[in-house]
Amino acid sequence: MSDKKPNANSGKTTSKNANKKPTSGKVTKPLRPASAAKSGQTGSTAAKKSSGNRKAKLFDRLKKSEEQGAYTSVKNLKNKRGFLGKASGASSRGGFEQDKNRFRTIWVIALVVLGLLIARAYYLQVANAQFYQDKGDELITSVRTQKSYRGMITDRNNLPLAVSAPLATVSFSPHDYAREYYELKRIIITNPESPQLVARMQKRLDNMDLTTLAAAANISVTELKKVTAIDDSIDVTDEAAVKAALPSGAGSHYLPLLNKVTPEIAQSVSTLDFPGVYEKNFFQRYYPQPQPNSQLLGFMGQNVSDPEGGYEGRAGIERQYETELAGDDGKVLVLKDAKQNSLKEIKQIEPEIPGKDVALTIDSRLQYLLYKELEKAGRLQKARWSTGMIVDVQTGEVLALSTWPSFNSNNLNEMTGENQRNRALLDVFEPGSVMKPFTVAAALDSGKYTATTLIDTNPGSIRVRGYTIRDHNNLGRITMATLLQKSSNVASTKIALSLPADGITNMQKQFGFGSKTPLQFPGEGSGLVVTPKEKETSRRATVSYGYGLQVTLAQVAQAYSALAAGGVMHPLTLIKDDKPQPSKRIMAHEQAMSIVQMMESVTEPGGTAKGAAIDGYRVAGKTGTSRRINPKGGYYTDQYRNVFAGMAPASNPRLVGVMLIEDPRGQIYAGLTVAPVFHNVMKEALRLYNVPLDKPLKTEDL
């Protein structure tokens, strides 16, 4: 203990120190004055004085707290400012101005947030609603194309030549099956507290027995188990293990079960509602009479611009009338699940419009008969190919049009670049002597010649510009009928040289040569007829007997039909219901019929086509035997082309038939190779159409 007296200023010092700010942020309890403790004053006067001082100090401190607010950090009191510059901190009683400002702040913030929410809702539900609606629809819906039924192609008697048969292909995805299998097992294992859910999943799992699928699809169950490769030992709750166990590689997503079967057969598998089994329905084009019609009808090919791999007509009538036959596909909005499988149809977006049927003028009976005769002659003569047409004289309708060799249009693997050509319409050639009737027509039309005019062919040849034109023998002075009967090149040349330079070619063009026929068949040839100049005497001579120009067989058929119709051109047509094009007269009726009568002698004894004659009918026609062009220049000396064009009955022609055999190796003359084809086909055609006889039948002496 110290003997020093207490300092008189000790009380003041204590009071002064009490007003100083603490150096720490803690509120400390005021200490007892050290002087008083040391002095050991115990008197009541000193105690009262000390107690009074403490009360005064406490009162001052409470008063200052009410004015400034309570604080927890003395150190930061000077720097800690409240809202709008006022002191901050919680007050035991609070202040009205401070609460009002706080209330306003909270409401401003709430209104701003509410405005943002309203703006966002407007953007999503009003301003950009369609965009998000479309995005949502993409997740749960899809647009499925509904293939339209392709129209039929029929003959003139409504017998089907091309039909679309509904077929289905059923496939199996081992990957999808295994994924569903493991998922059901996972649900069963992880949900023991839900017995009803487990029972449903177990029932679905039991229905996934591969034996049932194998029996319905008539496939080995061993093969199905092999491709699915189910592993019951893996932990199905381990996602990585399940993913590794799923089938992968070739065939893991597609295994055909039933390929191109009828919907009834496919239904036996699709109705199982088996996981991983998918059915695709489509229409398969089918041709009941393929070979005779393949080049005419054409074939179907895949449309590369169609994302679903649709088919379209690629040749022939299928291509020419693609728009009418195809119709318009429909579009259906369907609901789909998480695996992109269609669940149900929601609505029809665009209606399906079936294709229209196209009725041809073709008679399938004649078509078959023509093809078989062309095939028979082609094989017998070892020819490159043969083709032919039959036309109704009165209407211009094509009753038959076929080419051999052909292919099975139900199996395009048989098709080649050669056998798919419609030779009668696409190929051009030098026709030879079948053009001589039109040389006679030019002569009669000029007024310089009549049917009885004699033409001197002595000595059986003629020299033109260094070239010698010959007949088979010296015919002497002959009429127009003999010109056609004996097929005189010399007489034709003399007629051509006696007429203006364009006299022959103008008549040929008038009969349709050098221009495409009204058939407008895809790829049809137009031929070539060049008008010679005055000094081109050799060309003027050759075009008169069928050289130096190019024609199609269809043009020959159309021109002979015009002669048979008495000089009236009826444009060719292949479509029965089409509005016929207007006919036009190209020469006088008397002149045309006189040429027909002249051509009768061709099929009579002494003519070049006795094999074309038909018992009971007068037949008129003309043969053409021409040399084939050598690509290296000139003509082959051992390769020929045989053509015969004829009509019956000659007294009132009803049908025209034109046949061609390319490069026959058995015989070289048209009267021996192609005239018999005309005979066999036309004989049956006249019978089928009940055409009356115009000549007595031959009778054999008993």
Side-chain angles (χ1 to χ4, degrees):
M1 296 294 293
S2 175
D3 294 335
K4 292 183 178 181
K5 294 182 180 180
N7 193 341
N9 297 326
S10 63
K12 293 181 181 180
T13 304
T14 303
S15 176
K16 183 178 180 180
N17 291 337
N19 292 331
K20 289 182 179 180
K21 295 179 182 179
T23 58
S24 68
K26 282 180 78 173
V27 177
T28 59
K29 186 177 180 179
L31 297 177
R32 201 172 45 166
S35 59
K38 290 181 179 180
S39 63
Q41 295 179 358
T42 59
S44 61
T45 303
K48 289 180 180 179
K49 185 177 180 180
S50 177
S51 176
N53 291 336
R54 287 197 299 270
K55 289 180 179 179
K57 292 177 180 179
L58 180 61
F59 179 79
D60 292 340
R61 193 174 295 169
L62 290 173
K63 187 176 180 180
K64 185 179 290 186
S65 298
E66 290 180 357
E67 294 176 356
Q68 298 179 352
Y71 60 90
T72 59
S73 175
V74 177
K75 181 179 180 180
N76 298 325
L77 176 64
K78 186 181 294 185
N79 298 326
K80 189 175 180 72
R81 309 295 297 173
F83 185 66
L84 299 177
K86 294 184 179 182
S88 64
S91 174
S92 59
R93 295 185 301 170
F96 174 76
E97 290 296 331
Q98 187 174 0
D99 289 345
K100 183 172 68 174
N101 291 334
R102 187 182 298 115
F103 178 80
R104 289 175 177 174
T105 301
I106 292 172
W107 268 104
V108 168
I109 294 173
L111 290 174
V112 170
V113 173
L114 180 62
L116 292 175
L117 292 175
I118 293 174
R120 180 63 176 171
Y122 177 82
Y123 174 77
L124 295 177
Q125 301 182 27
V126 179
N128 211 20
Q130 189 61 44
F131 172 78
Y132 288 99
Q133 184 177 348
D134 294 342
K135 285 293 184 183
D137 290 343
E138 288 180 6
L139 297 176
I140 61 173
T141 63
S142 64
V143 177
R144 187 184 67 195
T145 300
Q146 193 175 46
K147 289 294 182 182
S148 62
Y149 177 80
R150 189 175 182 87
M152 292 193 303
I153 301 176
T154 66
D155 76 345
R156 64 186 302 107
N157 300 313
N158 294 323
L159 294 177
L161 301 178
V163 296
S164 291
L167 295 178
T169 293
V170 181
S171 62
F172 177 61
S173 173
H175 180 277
D176 292 352
Y177 173 87
R179 183 179 59 185
E180 181 74 7
Y181 182 89
Y182 293 134
E183 177 64 16
L184 292 177
K185 290 196 67 176
R186 185 192 66 78
I187 295 175
I188 292 173
I189 293 174
T190 57
N191 293 276
E193 72 284 354
S194 302
Q196 293 182 348
L197 175 63
V198 170
R200 290 200 308 270
M201 297 301 102
Q202 186 61 51
K203 183 178 180 181
R204 290 178 58 181
L205 192 63
D206 294 339
N207 291 333
M208 292 177 63
D209 186 4
L210 290 174
T211 305
T212 304
L213 178 61
N218 194 23
I219 192 173
S220 171
V221 67
T222 304
E223 181 180 354
L224 291 179
K225 291 181 178 180
K226 180 180 179 180
V227 295
T228 53
I230 296 297
D231 186 0
D232 290 318
S233 64
I234 67 170
D235 181 7
V236 293
T237 61
D238 185 351
E239 185 176 348
V242 171
K243 186 176 180 180
L246 292 176
S248 60
S252 60
H253 288 273
Y254 182 81
L255 175 67
L257 299 178
L258 299 173
N259 187 30
K260 294 182 179 180
V261 297
T262 62
E264 292 77 14
I265 296 177
Q267 194 174 18
S268 63
V269 177
S270 59
T271 52
L272 294 176
D273 196 20
F274 210 84
V277 173
Y278 305 102
E279 178 182 354
K280 182 179 180 181
N281 296 294
F282 57 96
F283 290 103
Q284 177 72 39
R285 204 62 165 169
Y286 177 68
Y287 303 93
Q289 198 180 74
Q291 280 84 358
N293 299 301
S294 59
Q295 298 98 342
L296 173 61
L297 301 181
F299 56 91
M300 303 290 292
Q302 190 168 11
N303 185 353
V304 294
S305 62
D306 189 345
E308 298 189 6
Y311 284 79
E312 64 179 356
R314 301 300 294 273
I317 298 297
E318 294 279 23
R319 176 183 173 185
Q320 186 176 5
Y321 292 90
E322 168 66 21
T323 303
E324 292 83 351
L325 289 167
D328 294 321
D329 293 340
K331 292 184 178 180
V332 180
L333 185 67
V334 297
L335 183 67
K336 60 184 181 181
D337 59 14
K339 301 175 185 177
Q340 304 301 307
N341 298 322
S342 298
L343 298 178
K344 68 174 183 178
E345 296 181 358
I346 300 176
K347 66 177 181 178
Q348 185 92 27
I349 300 176
E350 294 181 6
E352 171 197 355
I353 302 177
K356 299 179 181 178
D357 294 342
V358 174
L360 303 183
T361 59
I362 296 294
D363 188 325
S364 58
R365 300 169 298 177
L366 282 181
Q367 184 82 343
Y368 178 80
L369 179 63
L370 174 62
Y371 176 77
K372 297 307 291 183
E373 290 296 330
L374 292 172
E375 179 185 25
K376 178 181 176 181
R379 294 186 183 279
L380 180 64
Q381 299 296 334
K382 298 180 177 60
R384 295 176 183 267
W385 45 267
S386 57
T387 185
M389 293 179 64
I390 299 178
V391 178
D392 189 325
V393 171
Q394 299 173 358
T395 62
E397 293 178 340
V398 179
L399 302 179
L401 171 59
S402 192
T403 298
W404 172 89
S406 184
F407 65 95
N408 185 349
S409 40
N410 295 313
N411 179 16
L412 297 185
N413 292 326
E414 297 182 5
M415 185 178 67
T416 66
E418 292 296 317
N419 64 19
Q420 69 168 307
R421 292 184 63 82
N422 192 327
R423 302 284 185 177
L425 295 169
L426 273 61
D427 288 12
V428 295
F429 58 93
E430 288 186 318
S433 296
V434 291
M435 298 300 294
K436 289 175 180 175
F438 308 103
T439 299
V440 173
L444 297 178
D445 187 65
S446 69
K448 292 184 178 182
Y449 297 86
T450 65
T452 59
T453 300
L454 296 176
I455 303 172
D456 189 1
T457 64
N458 287 303
S461 63
I462 186 173
R463 191 80 172 166
V464 179
R465 288 280 183 175
Y467 294 95
T468 301
I469 299 173
R470 294 184 174 88
D471 286 337
H472 294 293
N473 48 57
N474 186 1
L475 300 176
R477 293 169 62 85
I478 60 174
T479 61
M480 296 287 187
T482 307
L483 183 156
L484 297 178
Q485 182 185 36
K486 300 297 183 180
S487 193
S488 174
N489 294 335
V490 175
S492 299
T493 299
K494 288 195 171 184
I495 290 175
L497 296 180
S498 68
L499 299 178
D502 59 356
I504 301 297
T505 53
N506 282 350
M507 182 58 68
Q508 292 171 345
K509 291 178 181 179
Q510 199 168 338
F511 273 91
F513 295 105
S515 302
K516 291 183 179 181
T517 69
L519 298 177
Q520 297 299 312
F521 195 79
E524 181 181 356
S526 59
L528 181 64
V529 176
V530 179
T531 301
K533 297 179 180 179
E534 184 69 30
K535 295 182 180 180
E536 292 178 324
T537 54
S538 59
R539 179 180 290 273
R540 291 169 59 186
T542 56
V543 296
S544 69
Y545 53 86
Y547 283 88
L549 71 159
Q550 293 181 335
V551 303
T552 65
L553 197 73
Q555 291 172 345
V556 176
Q558 181 176 245
Y560 271 76
S561 297
L563 281 177
V568 177
M569 175 76 77
H570 298 297
L572 296 183
T573 178
L574 269 170
I575 308 302
K576 185 177 180 182
D577 298 329
D578 273 3
K579 183 179 180 181
Q581 297 188 26
S583 303
K584 64 178 181 179
R585 177 167 294 280
I586 56 179
M587 71 179 304
H589 180 271
E590 295 77 10
Q591 292 178 349
M593 296 313 296
S594 67
I595 295 174
V596 171
Q597 293 176 5
M598 294 178 194
M599 289 193 294
E600 281 189 67
S601 61
V602 175
T603 63
E604 294 174 348
T608 58
K610 293 183 293 183
I614 301 173
D615 189 19
Y617 293 97
R618 293 164 54 188
V619 177
K622 185 68 185 76
T623 56
T625 300
S626 58
R627 295 182 183 272
R628 299 184 71 238
I629 295 177
N630 189 338
K632 297 180 181 180
Y635 294 88
Y636 288 109
T637 58
D638 60 344
Q639 295 185 19
Y640 298 88
R641 179 181 300 107
N642 294 166
V643 183
F644 180 83
M647 60 198 71
S651 59
N652 183 21
R654 172 69 191 280
L655 301 175
V656 162
V658 183
M659 318 295 169
L660 182 150
I661 295 181
E662 186 78 4
D663 191 20
R665 292 294 176 171
Q667 302 286 341
I668 65 173
Y669 294 112
L672 300 176
T673 61
V674 72
V677 177
F678 173 89
H679 165 86
N680 295 336
V681 176
M682 188 61 69
K683 177 181 177 181
E684 292 300 318
L686 294 170
R687 181 185 63 82
L688 287 173
Y689 285 87
N690 296 318
V691 178
L693 301 175
D694 66 342
K695 185 171 95 171
L697 293 170
K698 292 182 180 179
T699 58
E700 296 182 1
D701 296 333
L702 297 177

